[in-house]
Amino acid sequence: MEREKIKKLILEKNFESARELILKIESKELSKLIGGLSNETGHKNFYKFIDYLIKTEKSKKRLIGYHLIASVILSIDIPHLFYSFRKAIYHVKEAIKLEPKDLSLKEHLLFVYESPDAKDFLSKKEVKKIANEILDKNQDSYIAKTTLKDLEKYEK
């Protein structure tokens, strides 16, 4: 099965062979696959693999997807690693740089910020600005509204 083969290759740090197998997989499926394997094993090699892909990728669309996968792995699957939330925020910011008008990327940044450990790596001022920017274009954004309410609670 491809899943088990990819898992084995990544755990063995045979990233180039794993890369060749995943190139056929669509972004959403890849996110589920790598995220699932990372969650299942809790092994940092899955983040290292995504980081390898980021360094070798030329396609902007795939690069954005890789950055998002990296942020999820770091913030959910291996949050215990030193500076995992700082790195997760970095990856979302890199995705935003590639596609600055994509509100879903900015919402993803707010999602990562929701973790208590991430609050040290983004200023409240920056978060407030991002949330307001999202709401200017999408008044229904639940994460932006919730983030602003939470910030107001803590400012009082």
Side-chain angles (χ1 to χ4, degrees):
M1 177 181 200
E2 292 277 318
R3 181 182 195 279
E4 290 305 312
K5 188 172 185 180
I6 291 168
K7 177 181 174 181
K8 184 177 186 284
L9 290 169
I10 293 171
L11 289 173
E12 293 172 350
K13 294 185 182 179
N14 190 343
F15 296 156
E16 185 55 33
S17 294
R19 180 184 166 278
E20 289 172 18
L21 289 176
I22 63 99
L23 286 177
K24 305 173 215 163
I25 302 171
E26 288 296 317
S27 185
K28 284 187 180 184
E29 287 304 311
L30 179 63
S31 180
K32 286 181 193 175
L33 172 68
I34 300 300
L37 291 171
S38 175
N39 188 272
E40 174 187 307
T41 64
H43 204 286
K44 63 185 175 184
N45 277 7
F46 292 94
Y47 169 69
K48 288 180 176 183
F49 174 62
I50 293 297
D51 194 47
Y52 170 82
L53 294 176
I54 288 168
K55 291 173 182 165
T56 59
E57 186 57 54
K58 303 289 186 249
S59 161
K60 184 168 89 169
K61 181 180 176 185
R62 285 189 80 87
L63 195 52
I64 289 169
Y66 295 157
H67 278 296
L68 293 180
I69 294 169
S71 76
V72 169
I73 289 172
L74 288 162
S75 61
I76 294 174
D77 299 336
I78 52 172
H80 56 279
L81 293 182
F82 193 60
Y83 286 127
S84 63
F85 285 97
R86 177 179 281 178
K87 290 178 183 176
I89 290 167
Y90 161 81
H91 283 291
V92 181
K93 285 183 170 184
E94 288 299 303
I96 292 169
K97 283 181 193 174
L98 292 166
E99 201 63 63
K101 293 182 181 180
D102 188 336
L103 293 182
S104 69
L105 299 175
K106 293 175 183 180
E107 288 178 322
H108 188 84
L109 185 61
L110 296 182
F111 171 75
V112 174
Y113 180 76
E114 288 297 308
S115 169
D117 293 333
K119 298 202 184 321
D120 295 335
F121 305 114
L122 275 175
S123 73
K124 289 179 182 175
K125 182 179 178 181
E126 184 178 5
V127 170
K128 197 176 210 177
K129 180 183 173 204
I130 292 165
N132 282 319
E133 186 180 322
I134 292 167
L135 288 172
D136 284 347
K137 294 178 176 84
N138 176 11
Q139 296 94 16
D140 297 327
S141 173
Y142 177 78
I143 188 76
K145 287 179 185 179
T146 304
T147 301
L148 287 176
K149 283 181 187 174
D150 288 347
L151 287 174
E152 287 173 16
K153 268 194 265 183
Y154 296 115
E155 287 177 353
K156 291 180 182 179

